[in-house]
């Protein structure tokens, strides 16, 4: 499921938001987290993009149904739209993805198509898709043509989608089910509304794909989206299915085949039903002014419905989907020995979804037999609760079994220290616990084999006391750092509700981790998806300690696939200011939170990274991150800067808020602090922040940056940064330095300008620079153009095309509005003054070498750099008459004219020809002006 969903929901439904006071309320589930300070809705300056927000501080939502039917939080709706929009947005950007989607739709329709009259349905579908592809591939169409294509595709696809109405839903056309036709049509309707920037309607149509044909959508059309968005709600079905498959593996071949087919059909039907229910559920979310809908309940199928004669003593307690509650719900209650064994085996099968996918086709009987033996060992020890105990154990004994979350075969788990100091009560109990060696042995035996929770909790206390008293004794360490003991401690952490016991378990595990990498790996292998740690991070007393423990384990992004990680990490970042002490370990929870956020925003594929970054913005995380740029250690401040730049790339509108609120002196200070390391994170952030559409705001930002820090000259610091920068960072640093220099007199030479221009010339040399440097050089040239949209996209080329009379063919009305804002609202004169100063500085300092470098990069025909060079020549040509005498104009013309004539050839794309022709005209005018 995508990166901003689980936190919007809770196990038990919905509950009205509660305002946070000094500490977060105790919350075992955390559907949504909104940080102190500004939210994404406050960052955007467009009225129609604003989100309803609540005054006050952080919100830790815990939802329950209310009689007054509360309206769904706008931040949650925005998060869902963002997630779904990532999939349709990919269609617009990725040509291979477009081809794949088209092939999938074509294959599922044509593979079942039979001869006969189709009433034009297939033609409508083909024409609708063709119109959308034209819109995507040719952004240069006139506004009227784009609107016509858009309306035409919507009309044609809506006709196809209407086949799934109540009367004809179960019918077919030429052998193709109407549900399949409608699902494909809805998918493309989602895409065309995405093109029109109607994101809410686009998301609703995408959800309708899963309503119309859940099986086709989840297995063929959009399996990635289903895995990401719907599967976490339906994991209990998958767990049940694999448990049933495991049971059937013991049957004879003939009987097994029949029952497996029946089981597979039952499972798929139930999964399809659940998928459609949750698709409708989220469609209700996206209605304007919608009330909170009831959370769907998807029960487990009955085994008897496919002929299973297996005993199901726990069937009355069959779990249902209520937003993934099975992943961390603690299970207690009196059961039979068989039920204890069955539960242990059932949970083990749910451990790794990827492994389970492979096991659908082939079971590993050897693994099964081994697990069966382990389960028998644990269940056979369940008689302990009836046996006499020494005086140490009876006090807290509970009747009934403790059902373990089996860690024997799981790969990942981490524990981290929190803000709260070691509990006085739990430590006092340990201080008065005088233990003979036999009690430690009994505790070890209990934690490894007992199914009685109270006994295992006492064992944790005994082992912790022994560890403290040993003062690092190697014998005690060797006795306690065995894999079965560590796994047993993790099982107690998962099942216990005693904060004191859980804290002791966290502390002792932290000690184990620092002693050996082997212990770290045991924990990671015991909890692959970190469910235990998700539970601990939701505990308002222990979440900071849990964060530190998890940080000690250094989990990777692929282990943090739950959608709850972003809000949980932000909560740690907000409240984790103070160091936490776990016996001999001292660590800042904020360091842990920044590590988690870095993994979540950089460790997945591009789409998932952007989704997670958008979620950070929507939950108000920017203020927390900006605070961490100012305070803390240098590595953490760099990490915070990098995360902010990721957020700006994901949601360009937030750059204006960050540019206004961020402490610029802190960035200069951080550059100084990075004396021996790369300033890559600071440079990346500054580069994003200088892509502002308002020249007044840009100048304000540069002037604040120029003030430096602690009396140090900002330009001198940037110059030092330029000298030690990595090759791919140098063009961006040079562009930053040049922009600061241009706050002064463009005709007055300076060492800063000379160095900056020299670096830009060097990085334009295609033969000496690799692809990464070429891309950054193109970006540097784009920055110097000085024209950007509200979202931070370069608009210099569009402005030039308009100057050349080509404005009617700009991409769409949205872009025209952006450019119009530049002209009318933000002061065209200020932008032209900037370009004039930049052109004079570049031409006077770079002279012939700079022009030759631009010309050569065009000749090499490297796509991004060649186009950026052409655009740079085009806007500078408007001011070339200001930069030199007659000889300079002649030299410039001799260097640029041959290359521009090549770009004017009919075989070049239309925009390039227009830009080249425009440049030639301006160069000729400059020569005439000087003459």
């Amino acid at each position: 499921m995508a990166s901003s969903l689980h936190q919007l929901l809770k196990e038990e439904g919905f509950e009205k938001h509660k305002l946070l006071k000094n500490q977060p309320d105790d919350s075992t589930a955390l559907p949504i987290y909104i940080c102190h300070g500004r939210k994404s809705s406050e960052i955007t300056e467009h009225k129609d993009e604003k989100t309803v927000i609540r005054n006050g501080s952080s919100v830790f939502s815990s939802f329950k149904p209310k009689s007054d039917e509360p309206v769904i939080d706008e931040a949650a709706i925005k998060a869902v739209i963002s997630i779904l929009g990532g999939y349709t947005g990919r269609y617009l950007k990725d040509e291979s993805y477009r081809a794949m989607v088209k092939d999938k739709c074509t294959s599922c329709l044509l593979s079942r198509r039979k001869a006969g009259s189709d009433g034009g349905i297939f033609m409508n579908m083909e024409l609708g898709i063709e119109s959308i592809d034209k819109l995507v591939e040719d952004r240069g169409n006139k506004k009227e043509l784009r609107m016509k294509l858009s309306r035409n595709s919507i009309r044609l696809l809506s006709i196809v989608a209407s086949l799934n109405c109540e009367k004809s839903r179960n019918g077919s056309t030429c052998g193709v089910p109407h549900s399949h036709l409608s699902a494909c049509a809805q998918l493309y309707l989602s895409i065309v509304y995405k093109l029109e920037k109607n994101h809410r309607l686009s998301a609703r149509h995408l959800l309708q794909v899963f309503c119309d044909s859940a099986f086709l959508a989840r297995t063929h059309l959009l399996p990635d989206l289903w895995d990401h968005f719907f599967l976490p709600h339906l994991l209990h079905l998958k767990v049940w299915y694999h448990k049933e498959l495991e049971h059937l593996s013991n049957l004879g071949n003939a009987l097994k085949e029949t029952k497996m087919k029946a089981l597979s059909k039952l499972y798929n039907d139930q999964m399809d039903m659940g998928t459609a229910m949750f698709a409708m559920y989220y469609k209700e979310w996206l209605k304007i002014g919608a009330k909170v809908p009831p959370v769907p309940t998807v029960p487990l199928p009955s085994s008897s419905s496919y002929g299973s004669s297996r005993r199901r003593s726990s069937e009355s307690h069959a779990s249902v989907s209520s937003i993934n509650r099975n992943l961390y719900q603690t299970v207690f209650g009196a059961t039979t020995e068989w039920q204890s064994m069955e539960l242990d085996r059932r949970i083990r099968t749910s451990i790794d979804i990827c492994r389970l996918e492979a096991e659908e086709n082939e079971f590993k009987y050897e693994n099964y037999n081994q697990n069966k033996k382990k389960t028998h060992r644990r269940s056979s020890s369940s008689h302990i609760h009836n046996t006499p105990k020494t005086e140490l154990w009876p006090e807290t004994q509970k009747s009934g079994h403790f059902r373990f979350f089996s860690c024997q075969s799981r790969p990942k788990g981490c524990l981290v220290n929190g803000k709260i100091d070691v509990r006085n009560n739990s430590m006092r109990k340990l201080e008065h616990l005088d233990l003979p060696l036999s009690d430690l042995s009994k505790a070890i035996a209990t934690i490894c084999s007992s199914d009685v929770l109270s006994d295992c909790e006492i064992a944790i206390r005994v082992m912790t006391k022994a560890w403290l008293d040993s003062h690092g004794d190697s014998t005690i360490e060797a006795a306690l750092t065995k894999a079965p003991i560590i796994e047993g401690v993790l099982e107690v952490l998962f099942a216990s509700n005693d904060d004191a016991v859980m804290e002791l378990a966290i502390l002792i595990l932290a000690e184990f981790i620092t002693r050996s990498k082997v212990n770290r790996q045991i924990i990671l292998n015991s909890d692959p998806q970190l469910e235990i740690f998700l539970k601990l991070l939701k505990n308002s007393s222990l979440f900071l300690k849990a964060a530190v423990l998890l940080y000690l384990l250094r989990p990777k992004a692929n282990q943090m696939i739950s959608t709850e990680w972003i809000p949980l990490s932000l909560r740690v970042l907000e409240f984790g200011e103070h160091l936490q002490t776990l016996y001999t370990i001292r660590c800042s929870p904020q360091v842990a939170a920044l590590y988690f956020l870095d993994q979540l925003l950089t460790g997945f594929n591009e789409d998932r990274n952007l989704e997670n970054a958008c979620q950070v913005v929507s939950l108000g995380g920017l203020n927390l991150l900006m605070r961490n740029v100012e305070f803390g250690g240098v590595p953490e401040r760099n990490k915070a800067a990098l995360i902010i730049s990721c957020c700006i790339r994901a949601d360009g509108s937030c750059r204006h808020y960050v540019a206004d609120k961020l402490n610029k002196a802190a960035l200069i200070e951080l550059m100084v602090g990075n004396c021996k390391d790369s300033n890559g994170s600071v440079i990346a952030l500054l580069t994003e922040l200088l892509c502002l559409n308002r020249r007044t705001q840009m100048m304000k930002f540069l002037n604040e940056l120029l003030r430096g820090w602690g009396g140090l000259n900002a330009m001198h610091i940037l110059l030092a940064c330029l000298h030690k920068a990595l090759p791919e960072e140098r063009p961006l640093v040079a562009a930053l330095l040049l922009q600061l220099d241009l706050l002064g007199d463009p005709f007055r030479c300076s060492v800063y300008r000379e160095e900056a221009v020299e670096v830009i010339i060097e990085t334009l040399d295609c033969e000496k620079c690799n692809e990464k440097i070429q891309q950054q050089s193109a970006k540097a040239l784009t920055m110097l153009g000085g024209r950007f949209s509200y979202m931070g996209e370069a608009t210099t080329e569009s402005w030039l095309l308009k100057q050349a009379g080509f404005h009617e063919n700009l991409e769409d009305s949205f872009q025209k509005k952006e450019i119009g804002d530049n002209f009318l609202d933000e002061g065209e004169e200020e932008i032209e003054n900037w370009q004039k100063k930049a052109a004079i500085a570049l031409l006077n300092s770079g002279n012939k070498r700079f022009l030759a470098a631009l010309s050569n990069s065009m000749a090499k025909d490297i796509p991004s750099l060649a186009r950026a060079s052409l655009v740079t020549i085009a806007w500078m040509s408007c001011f070339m008459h200001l930069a030199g005498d007659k000889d300079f104009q002649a030299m410039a013309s001799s260097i640029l004219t041959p290359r521009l004539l090549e770009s004017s050839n009919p075989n070049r794309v239309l925009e390039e020809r227009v830009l080249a022709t425009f440049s030639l005209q301006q160069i000729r005018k400059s020569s005439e002006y000087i003459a």
Side-chain angles (χ1 to χ4, degrees):
M1 191 167 161
S3 61
S4 52
L5 189 55
H6 272 183
Q7 66 279 8
L8 305 178
L9 306 167
K10 189 184 185 231
E11 298 176 304
E12 303 301 335
F14 291 95
E15 176 181 293
K16 194 174 181 180
H17 289 311
K18 297 181 289 185
L19 291 179
L20 183 73
K21 297 183 180 178
N22 294 331
Q23 280 282 10
D25 294 333
D26 187 17
S27 56
T28 57
L30 188 65
I32 187 168
Y33 171 87
I34 304 178
C35 305
H36 284 116
R38 307 276 289 186
K39 319 298 185 296
S40 62
S41 54
E42 299 172 272
I43 293 167
T44 179
E45 301 175 17
H46 294 298
K47 183 176 179 181
D48 60 347
E49 292 180 3
K50 287 191 176 180
T51 304
V52 177
I53 60 169
R54 294 172 172 76
N55 295 326
S57 54
S58 302
V59 178
F60 298 93
S61 303
S62 177
F63 298 111
K64 292 182 181 176
K66 295 289 184 180
S67 58
D68 57 352
E69 296 184 69
V71 176
I72 300 171
D73 192 290
E74 280 294 324
I77 294 173
K78 184 176 179 182
V80 173
I81 292 173
S82 174
I83 295 162
L84 297 172
Y87 286 84
T88 46
R90 186 179 173 190
Y91 187 94
L92 310 184
K93 297 179 290 185
D94 188 337
E95 185 176 352
S96 62
Y97 185 75
R98 287 200 295 275
M100 182 185 72
V101 171
K102 188 172 183 179
D103 288 346
K104 284 184 174 184
C105 286
T106 303
S107 65
C108 72
L109 298 181
L110 297 185
S111 62
R112 303 185 61 170
R113 186 174 178 181
K114 301 175 182 176
S117 173
D118 62 8
I121 292 298
F122 288 95
M123 181 60 71
N124 288 342
M125 189 77 181
E126 291 170 12
L127 291 175
I129 294 174
E130 184 179 333
S131 295
I132 292 174
D133 285 343
K134 285 181 179 178
L135 286 169
V136 173
E137 292 167 3
D138 191 355
R139 300 294 183 94
N141 287 325
K142 293 182 180 180
K143 176 183 175 182
E144 294 77 11
L145 177 58
R146 291 183 63 80
M147 186 174 295
K148 182 178 179 181
L149 287 171
S150 177
R151 294 299 98 193
N152 186 53
S153 61
I154 290 173
R155 179 179 61 82
L156 294 172
L157 293 170
S158 296
I159 294 172
V160 180
S162 67
L163 291 172
N164 206 40
C165 64
E166 187 174 351
K167 292 183 179 179
S168 60
R169 180 171 297 139
N170 297 322
S172 63
T173 297
C174 295
V176 180
H178 286 168
S179 60
H180 289 196
L181 285 163
S182 179
C184 293
Q186 294 289 354
L187 174 55
Y188 274 95
L189 282 169
S190 174
I191 294 165
V192 73
Y193 281 114
K194 181 73 173 181
L195 278 165
E196 291 198 337
K197 297 180 171 58
N198 191 334
H199 303 299
R200 185 185 291 255
L201 191 54
S202 172
R204 283 178 57 82
H205 279 287
L206 191 61
L207 290 169
Q208 188 63 40
V209 177
F210 292 90
C211 298
D212 287 352
S213 183
F215 184 81
L216 181 70
R218 70 182 179 85
T219 62
H220 184 68
L221 291 179
L222 297 164
D224 290 343
L225 176 57
W226 184 80
D227 286 342
H228 207 189
F229 194 87
F230 293 99
L231 179 57
H233 294 308
L234 304 168
L235 278 178
H236 64 293
L237 295 178
K238 203 168 191 70
V239 171
W240 171 85
Y241 176 58
H242 286 281
K243 181 181 65 173
E244 298 300 320
L245 280 176
E246 184 177 311
H247 172 69
L248 292 180
S249 65
N250 293 322
L251 300 179
N253 289 336
L255 181 61
K256 179 171 68 174
E257 184 178 353
T258 301
K259 291 195 173 185
M260 284 183 74
K261 287 181 179 178
L263 172 62
S264 179
K265 183 180 186 306
L266 181 64
Y267 164 71
N268 282 311
D269 289 347
Q270 198 76 353
M271 193 65 87
D272 291 344
M273 180 190 74
T275 299
M277 289 171 67
F278 274 101
M280 289 300 300
Y281 170 71
Y282 285 113
K283 276 194 70 181
E284 289 296 313
W285 273 44
L286 301 182
K287 286 183 178 178
I288 302 295
K291 304 297 182 181
V292 173
V295 180
T297 295
V298 185
L300 295 180
S302 170
S303 298
S304 60
S305 58
Y306 74 94
S308 174
S309 59
R310 184 160 65 99
R311 180 180 175 186
R312 293 290 301 251
S313 62
S314 62
E315 197 127 57
S316 61
H317 302 289
S319 58
V320 296
S321 171
S322 183
I323 317 309
N324 209 8
R325 70 180 67 168
N326 291 336
L327 290 181
Y328 49 80
Q329 185 176 14
T330 306
V331 184
F332 292 101
T335 62
T336 65
E337 177 179 318
W338 177 89
Q339 186 180 2
S340 175
M341 178 177 69
E342 196 64 15
L343 180 65
D344 197 2
R345 184 172 61 187
R346 174 168 66 86
I347 297 179
R348 184 179 291 109
T349 62
S350 71
I351 290 168
D352 188 342
I353 294 303
C354 295
R355 177 171 60 81
L356 292 179
E357 293 283 6
E359 289 179 354
E360 284 187 26
N361 299 319
E362 182 178 357
F363 275 90
K364 300 179 180 178
Y365 295 102
E366 180 180 349
N367 232 2
Y368 164 73
N369 291 331
Q370 289 174 354
N371 288 340
K372 191 173 180 181
K373 289 175 184 177
K374 290 180 183 177
T375 305
H376 181 70
R377 187 273 302 169
R378 188 170 290 284
S379 62
S380 65
S381 66
S382 60
H383 70 280
I384 291 178
H385 74 284
N386 290 324
T387 60
K389 299 178 177 60
T390 65
E391 292 182 0
L392 180 63
W393 307 102
E395 269 183 54
T396 57
Q397 177 187 347
K398 297 179 184 177
S399 61
H401 290 266
F402 156 42
R403 301 188 194 172
F404 282 94
F405 175 87
S406 178
C407 293
Q408 260 64 4
S409 60
R410 301 183 60 90
K412 255 172 218 160
C414 315
L415 295 168
V416 183
N417 178 2
K419 172 184 185 303
I420 308 159
D421 290 332
V422 179
R423 296 176 111 78
N424 292 332
N425 290 340
S426 59
M427 294 307 297
R428 277 195 218 102
K429 289 180 182 179
L430 291 182
E431 289 171 2
H432 294 93
L433 201 60
D434 296 321
L435 303 170
L437 187 59
S438 60
D439 283 332
L440 177 58
S441 300
K442 178 174 284 189
I444 291 172
T446 299
I447 204 71
C448 292
S449 61
S450 177
D451 284 353
V452 181
L453 178 59
S454 57
D455 287 357
C456 292
E457 289 175 334
I458 294 174
I460 293 289
R461 296 181 188 276
V462 172
M463 291 191 302
T464 307
K465 173 65 174 176
W467 179 269
L468 285 176
D469 291 344
S470 72
H471 303 292
D473 181 82
S474 59
T475 304
I476 297 297
E477 180 178 340
L480 293 179
T481 55
K482 306 287 187 186
I485 297 173
I486 295 175
E487 290 169 355
V489 173
L490 289 171
E491 290 175 338
V492 174
L493 269 177
F494 182 77
S496 178
N497 290 318
D498 187 327
D499 282 357
V501 170
M502 289 191 289
E503 184 173 10
L504 293 175
I506 288 172
L507 301 181
I508 198 170
L509 285 175
E511 290 286 305
F512 292 168
I513 292 168
T514 58
R515 291 296 196 279
S516 170
K517 292 182 180 179
V518 174
N519 297 335
R520 170 182 173 272
Q521 198 58 48
I522 291 171
I523 298 174
L524 291 174
N525 289 341
S526 298
D527 188 7
Q529 301 306 324
L530 307 178
E531 288 99 335
I532 295 174
F533 294 94
L534 284 173
K535 174 200 171 185
L536 293 172
L537 288 170
K538 294 170 191 173
N539 184 309
S540 60
S541 298
L542 299 175
F543 72 100
L544 295 177
K545 292 191 184 302
V548 174
L549 179 60
L550 186 56
Y551 174 64
L552 295 177
L553 291 166
R554 301 296 197 279
K556 298 301 180 184
N558 60 6
Q559 299 162 311
M560 306 167 76
I561 60 174
S562 169
T563 57
E564 297 173 302
W565 282 106
I566 295 290
L568 291 174
S569 298
L570 289 175
R571 182 166 78 149
V572 174
L573 187 63
E574 181 166 12
F575 294 101
E577 295 180 6
H578 302 289
L579 286 175
Q580 297 297 305
T581 302
L582 291 86
Y583 294 153
T584 62
I585 302 161
R586 286 174 62 80
C587 181
S588 167
Q590 288 187 340
V591 173
L594 290 169
Y595 173 84
F596 303 151
L597 289 170
D598 180 55
Q599 287 291 317
L600 292 164
L601 271 62
T602 63
F604 295 101
N605 60 41
E606 182 181 1
D607 288 341
R608 180 69 183 273
N609 289 339
L610 292 176
E611 289 169 12
N612 286 347
C614 285
Q615 189 184 2
V616 171
V617 175
S618 67
L619 296 180
L622 286 175
N623 270 8
L624 298 178
L625 292 165
M626 286 190 284
R627 183 186 70 187
N628 278 272
V629 170
E630 294 185 47
F631 306 105
V634 170
E636 288 69 46
R637 294 171 65 189
N638 277 311
K639 195 159 287 186
L642 180 63
I643 294 169
I644 293 174
S645 65
C646 292
C647 292
I648 295 174
R649 283 194 293 273
D651 183 355
S653 63
C654 72
R655 80 181 68 241
H656 306 274
Y657 177 71
V658 176
D660 184 50
K661 299 297 183 183
L662 186 63
N663 186 331
K664 287 72 177 181
L667 291 178
I668 300 298
E669 179 192 3
L670 187 53
M671 285 187 178
V672 176
N674 288 327
C675 54
K676 294 183 180 179
D677 300 314
S678 168
N679 274 299
S681 58
V682 182
I683 298 306
L685 179 55
L686 285 172
T687 300
E688 293 296 338
L689 292 177
L690 287 175
C691 297
L692 297 166
N693 70 325
R694 297 177 180 176
R695 198 68 223 171
T696 52
Q697 188 180 14
M698 174 87 80
M699 299 303 289
K700 177 176 178 286
F701 182 89
L702 287 170
N703 278 299
E704 289 177 355
L705 201 63
L706 187 62
R707 292 172 191 162
W709 165 79
L712 296 176
N713 186 317
M715 293 177 66
H716 186 71
I717 293 170
L718 266 175
L719 182 60
C721 176
L722 180 62
H723 289 159
K724 69 170 188 175
L726 297 174
E728 61 270 21
E729 295 170 357
R730 284 170 60 79
L732 297 178
V733 179
L736 290 169
L737 182 59
L738 183 58
Q739 290 185 78
L740 285 178
D741 181 77
L742 290 178
L743 293 174
D745 185 352
F747 290 97
R748 182 179 178 183
C749 292
S750 72
V751 64
Y752 306 113
R753 184 181 306 170
E754 296 298 326
E755 291 257 9
V757 173
E758 182 63 29
V759 168
I760 291 173
I761 293 172
E762 289 176 2
T763 55
L764 285 173
D765 190 337
C766 304
E767 295 180 355
K768 295 181 180 178
C769 301
N770 59 34
E771 183 178 356
K772 181 67 175 177
I773 299 174
Q774 292 164 3
Q775 291 174 352
Q776 299 300 72
S777 297
K779 193 168 186 177
L781 292 177
T782 301
M783 290 174 62
L784 296 174
R787 294 179 182 272
F788 300 95
S789 71
Y790 182 78
M791 299 298 289
E793 297 171 350
T795 58
T796 305
E797 180 177 333
S798 301
W799 173 77
L800 288 166
L801 292 172
K802 181 173 183 177
Q803 298 303 301
F806 193 64
H807 59 283
E808 293 183 356
N809 294 74
L810 293 178
E811 288 186 15
D812 50 35
S813 59
F814 176 76
Q815 189 174 14
K816 284 186 182 180
K817 180 180 181 302
E818 300 267 25
I819 296 171
D821 287 344
N822 278 336
F823 294 153
L824 304 177
D825 299 336
E826 305 305 333
E828 175 64 13
E829 184 177 351
E830 290 184 357
I831 297 175
E832 285 196 8
N833 284 337
W834 160 259
Q835 287 187 320
K836 184 188 301 181
K837 293 174 73 173
I840 291 170
L842 288 167
L843 293 171
N844 284 346
S845 296
N847 209 283
K848 180 179 180 179
R849 291 181 63 233
F850 179 61
L851 294 174
L854 290 173
S855 177
N856 290 336
S857 68
M858 288 176 59
K860 298 297 182 183
D861 209 21
I862 297 171
S864 59
L865 188 54
R867 187 67 164 256
S869 297
L870 174 59
V871 171
T872 302
I873 291 171
W875 69 260
M876 284 200 311
S877 67
C878 299
F879 311 102
M880 201 168 284
H881 62 281
L882 302 173
D885 55 17
K886 192 181 219 180
D887 292 336
F888 175 84
Q889 301 298 324
M891 178 268 295
S893 178
S894 65
I895 293 174
L896 299 178
T897 299
R899 202 68 63 209
L900 292 171
L901 288 173
E902 287 181 13
S903 297
S904 303
N905 288 336
N907 61 341
R908 299 295 184 119
V909 296
L910 181 58
E911 289 84 357
E912 284 188 21
R913 295 185 347 240
V914 172
L915 291 172
T917 303
F918 175 81
S919 301
L920 288 168
Q921 291 174 347
Q922 295 300 316
I923 291 172
R924 188 181 69 251
K925 288 180 182 178
S926 295
S927 300
E928 293 173 354
Y929 183 87
I930 295 295

